[in-house]
Amino acid sequence: MDVIAKDEEQTFHVRSRMEASCLELALEGERLCKVGDYRAGVSFFESAIQVGTEDLQILSAIYSQLGNAYFHLHDYNKALEYHRHDLTLTRTIGDQLGEAKASGNLGNTLKVLGRYDEAAVCCQRHLDISRMLHDKVGQARALYNYGNVYHAKGKNICWSGMDPGDFPEEAHVALKKATEYYEANLALVKELCDRAAQGRTYGNLGNSHYLLGNFQEAVLAHEQRLLIAKEFGDRAAERRAYCNLGNAYIFLGQFEVAAEHYKRTLQLARQLKDRAVEAQACYSLGNTYTLLQDYERAIDYHLKHLTIAQDLKDRIGEGRACWSLGNAYTALGNHEQAMIFAHKHLEISKEIGDRSGELTARMNVSDLQLVLGLKQSSSPNSSFIETLPSDGSPPGGRSRGGRRLSMENMELMKLSADKNTGQSCEENTAPQQTKTPTKSIAKTSSKLFFINRFSRKKHKMNGSSSGTPAEKYSGETPSAPMDAQHAPDTLGDDGFFDLLSRFQGHRMDDQRCSLADAISRVAVPSSPCETPPIAMRKSES
C-alpha cells in the first residue's frame, strides 16, 4: 500500500509540474505575441502543447492563441487548422462561450481566405450562441464580423475597374447586407457605450456606402468616425477618415472640400512619418487640382509624389507621377516638359513589364511629337511610330478612340464653371492635322476620361437619360507587385476614379483584420483559480 501511495504522489507531482510548465510556456508565448514577436510566440505555444496538459480549457486557449498568432504571420491555413482544433475541443467539453469565440475566429480566417459563404456560417453560429447566452458583447462582435464578411465579399467583386455604385448585382447585395449588419452592430455598441467599437463600425459603414455609391451617407459615417478618432487621439484612424471623406467628396463633385480633406490627410501622414501615405495624399491632391483645372498646383503635388516615390524606390508610383505630370504640362501648353515625362513614363513601363502602360506612353510620345513638329526619325521610339497605320491607329486595327482609357493617356478638357451642366463631354478623338500644333494636342491625344466619366456620372445621378452611354475600358494596366511595406496604402493601378475606388478606397479600411485588440490584455492573477488564468483565456480575432 505504501508503494502504491508513493507512486500516486509521484504521479501527482509530475502532473503538477507538467501543468505548471505548460502554463508557463503558454503565458510566455502570449507575452511575446503581445509585443509583436509572433514567431517566437508560436514556438512557445507549440512547446506548451508538446509538454501537454490535462486542463482542456487551457489547451483550448492555447489553440486559440496559436490560431491568432499564425493569422498575424499571414499563415492562414495554419490559423484555420488551430481554430478548428479549438472549435472541436470547445464542443467536446460543452464550452458554449468558447465555441462562440472559436466560431468567430474561424469566420474571420475563412473571410481572409475568400471563403465567404463558409465564413458567414461561422458568423451565424457565433451570433446564435451569443444570443442564446444573452451575451450582448458577443452579439456585437458577431454582427461586426458578419458585416466584414459581406464587406470583403462585395469589395472582392468590385475590383474590376468600375466606379462605386456601378458594380454587379451580386456585389450590391453583399454590400447592402454589410451595411445592415453594421447598423445592427452600431445599435448594440451604442447601448454598450463602446465608443471605440462605434468608431470602427462607422468607418466600415462609410466604406460600404461609398462602394454602393451612397456618397452622402458615406460622408455622414466618416464624419462620425473622424469625431471618435479625435476623441481617442487616434491619428492613424483620423488620417484614414480624412482620406475617405476626400474620396466621397470627389464623387459628390465638391472638389475644393475634397482637397481640404486630402490636405489634412497629408499633414497627418507627415506627423505619423508614413511616407507611403504621404505620397498617396500628394497624388490625390494632384488629381484633385487637375479636376479643378489648377494645373500649376497639380504639378507641384505630383512632383512631391514623384520625389517620395523615388525615395521609396517605388517604380510603379514613379510611373504614375510621370504620366500625371505629362498630362498637366500638356494642359499648360508646356509640351517640352510633357515630352520629358512621357519618355520617363515609357522607360518605367518597359522596366516593370507594364505592356498597356508602355503602349499608352508610346502613343503619348507620338502625340507630343506631332505637336512639337518633330521628325519621327529623330525619336528613340520611331520604330514604333513607323508601324502605326496611316490613320494614326495602333497596330492590330485598334483605333485611337479605342486605346486604353485611363489617366495615363488623357488630354485635359475643361469642365463648365458649375461642374454640373448635365452635358456629355465627348469629343472627336481622331487627329485633326489642320489645327495649329498647340491646339492639335486636344485632338491627337485621348480624352480626359476620368472627367468625361465624372460628368456623365453626375448627369446620370441627376436623373437625365439623355447623353451618350457610359464608355468602358478597352484594357487595364496589370497590377505590378507591390512592396509589402507599402501596402495597403500604396497606389492602385488604373485611372483616377479607379484609384479612388481601388486604392484610396482600398483601403484605408478601419477594419485591418488585426487581432491585436482582440487578444486578452489582462494580467495573470497570482492566486489559483478554477478557470484558466485570465491572460490565457481565449482571445477573439
Side-chain angles (χ1 to χ4, degrees):
M1 294 293 291
D2 289 340
V3 173
I4 294 172
K6 283 182 180 178
D7 284 346
E8 286 178 352
E9 185 179 352
Q10 186 176 4
T11 301
F12 173 78
H13 284 305
V14 168
R15 284 178 178 170
S16 296
R17 285 198 301 274
M18 182 180 72
E19 295 287 351
S21 176
C22 175
L23 183 57
E24 286 167 5
L25 288 166
L27 290 172
E28 179 61 15
E30 183 186 53
R31 185 192 68 78
L32 289 164
C33 287
K34 284 181 177 178
V35 298
D37 192 349
Y38 297 105
R39 254 180 224 295
V42 163
S43 297
F44 274 90
F45 285 133
E46 290 181 338
S47 297
I49 289 174
Q50 287 174 359
V51 169
T53 176
E54 292 186 353
D55 189 328
L56 298 183
Q57 289 280 0
I58 290 178
L59 185 58
S60 171
I62 292 171
Y63 282 149
S64 178
Q65 297 274 19
L66 257 174
N68 289 343
Y70 274 119
F71 191 105
H72 277 290
L73 292 170
H74 308 294
D75 190 341
Y76 301 118
N77 287 318
K78 273 284 191 184
L80 199 64
E81 176 188 338
Y82 280 106
H83 285 315
R84 277 181 170 152
H85 287 331
D86 183 27
L87 182 62
T88 302
L89 190 55
T90 54
R91 285 176 174 171
T92 301
I93 63 180
D95 177 6
Q96 288 187 314
L97 184 60
E99 183 184 346
K101 292 178 179 179
S103 297
N105 289 339
L106 200 55
N108 286 339
T109 308
L110 287 164
K111 177 197 72 176
V112 175
L113 289 169
R115 294 159 65 175
Y116 303 115
D117 293 339
E118 293 172 76
V121 171
C122 292
C123 291
Q124 187 62 55
R125 182 64 179 157
H126 186 190
L127 182 59
D128 290 343
I129 296 173
S130 298
R131 282 174 174 165
M132 184 176 65
L133 297 174
H134 304 289
D135 175 9
K136 288 193 175 181
V137 173
Q139 289 177 54
R141 286 175 179 162
L143 290 165
Y144 182 70
N145 290 342
Y146 228 148
N148 290 341
V149 167
Y150 282 111
H151 186 192
K153 183 179 181 179
K155 280 200 300 181
N156 186 59
I157 300 167
C158 289
W159 298 153
S160 56
M162 291 174 287
D163 287 337
D166 289 344
F167 301 126
E169 183 62 22
E170 186 184 359
H172 185 87
V173 169
L175 291 166
K176 193 77 176 70
K177 283 186 178 179
T179 62
E180 290 167 2
Y181 283 114
Y182 287 140
E183 293 284 5
N185 167 269
L186 266 178
L188 272 176
V189 292
K190 284 178 180 177
E191 185 181 336
L192 295 167
C193 299
D194 187 343
R195 289 290 281 168
Q198 289 174 46
R200 287 190 293 271
T201 305
Y202 273 122
N204 283 2
L205 181 61
N207 291 337
S208 298
H209 277 306
Y210 171 86
L211 290 171
L212 283 166
N214 304 332
F215 303 116
Q216 196 57 59
E217 288 87 343
V219 165
L220 294 174
H222 286 307
E223 282 176 344
Q224 287 299 312
R225 206 289 166 261
L226 178 60
L227 181 66
I228 295 170
K230 288 179 176 179
E231 284 178 22
F232 283 87
D234 185 348
R235 290 189 297 170
E238 191 180 338
R239 185 265 300 161
R240 290 195 298 273
Y242 274 119
C243 184
N244 288 332
L245 282 164
N247 296 343
Y249 277 118
I250 284 286
F251 279 92
L252 289 170
Q254 300 180 39
F255 304 143
E256 291 281 6
V257 180
E260 291 307 311
H261 284 89
Y262 288 140
K263 285 176 186 175
R264 287 292 294 130
T265 304
L266 180 58
Q267 289 172 359
L268 286 162
R270 286 171 175 165
Q271 289 173 20
L272 294 165
K273 299 188 181 344
D274 190 332
R275 293 282 279 166
V277 176
E278 183 182 347
Q280 177 195 314
C282 289
Y283 187 73
S284 299
L285 280 162
N287 289 327
T288 304
Y289 281 113
T290 296
L291 287 168
L292 288 165
Q293 303 169 50
D294 188 345
Y295 303 120
E296 303 234 357
R297 200 175 295 187
I299 286 169
D300 181 49
Y301 281 111
H302 283 309
L303 286 171
K304 286 182 171 74
H305 170 219
L306 178 60
T307 300
I308 299 171
Q310 289 170 339
D311 291 345
L312 295 175
K313 303 191 185 313
D314 175 10
R315 294 294 276 170
I316 300 169
E318 281 188 66
R320 292 198 182 92
C322 289
W323 104 57
S324 299
L325 285 162
N327 291 326
Y329 277 117
T330 296
L332 289 175
N334 189 339
H335 302 115
E336 291 80 4
Q337 279 294 107
M339 179 67 87
I340 291 170
F341 286 109
H343 275 300
K344 187 66 176 174
H345 178 211
L346 176 59
E347 174 192 325
I348 293 170
S349 297
K350 286 180 180 178
E351 179 186 322
I352 65 176
D354 178 3
R355 296 309 299 268
S356 293
E358 182 182 343
L359 177 63
T360 295
R362 288 183 184 277
M363 288 179 171
N364 288 342
V365 168
S366 69
D367 289 344
L368 287 164
Q369 286 173 332
L370 290 172
V371 174
L372 293 168
L374 299 178
K375 293 182 179 179
Q376 293 179 355
S377 59
S378 67
S379 167
N381 302 303
S382 58
S383 60
F384 172 83
I385 298 167
E386 287 166 3
T387 65
L388 293 176
S390 58
D391 64 354
S393 62
R398 183 178 171 194
S399 69
R400 277 188 181 274
R403 72 167 72 169
R404 189 167 91 92
L405 297 172
S406 84
M407 197 167 174
E408 294 182 76
N409 58 341
M410 296 182 299
E411 166 256 321
L412 297 166
M413 303 187 324
K414 293 184 178 180
L415 291 177
S416 60
D418 62 1
K419 305 182 183 67
N420 188 21
T421 61
Q423 298 298 313
S424 167
C425 293
E426 289 185 328
E427 294 180 22
N428 178 20
T429 58
Q432 294 189 5
Q433 304 282 336
T434 58
K435 303 285 183 181
T436 61
T438 302
K439 291 181 180 178
S440 67
I441 190 65
K443 301 301 177 184
T444 57
S445 290
S446 301
K447 294 304 154 196
L448 178 53
F449 190 57
F450 75 99
I451 291 182
N452 200 347
R453 290 176 73 186
F454 178 78
S455 177
R456 285 197 303 276
K457 173 173 278 292
K458 292 198 72 177
H459 185 55
K460 180 173 69 176
M461 288 168 66
N462 286 340
S464 173
S465 60
S466 61
T468 58
E471 297 178 41
K472 301 292 182 185
Y473 279 117
S474 58
E476 294 190 12
T477 305
S479 300
M482 277 196 299
D483 284 343
Q485 65 179 346
H486 298 157
D489 289 335
T490 43
L491 301 179
D493 58 6
D494 283 313
F496 182 45
F497 278 89
D498 293 316
L499 287 166
L500 284 174
S501 60
R502 287 177 180 230
F503 96 123
Q504 292 176 313
H506 184 316
R507 260 187 174 264
M508 322 241 29
D509 283 5
D510 282 80
Q511 174 64 9
R512 292 301 199 204
C513 234
S514 171
L515 301 166
D517 61 342
I519 294 178
S520 174
R521 303 285 195 227
V522 187
V524 184
S526 56
S527 58
C529 55
E530 294 179 1
T531 58
I534 294 175
M536 273 310 300
R537 285 184 188 166
K538 186 175 307 175
S539 60
E540 290 183 84
S541 55

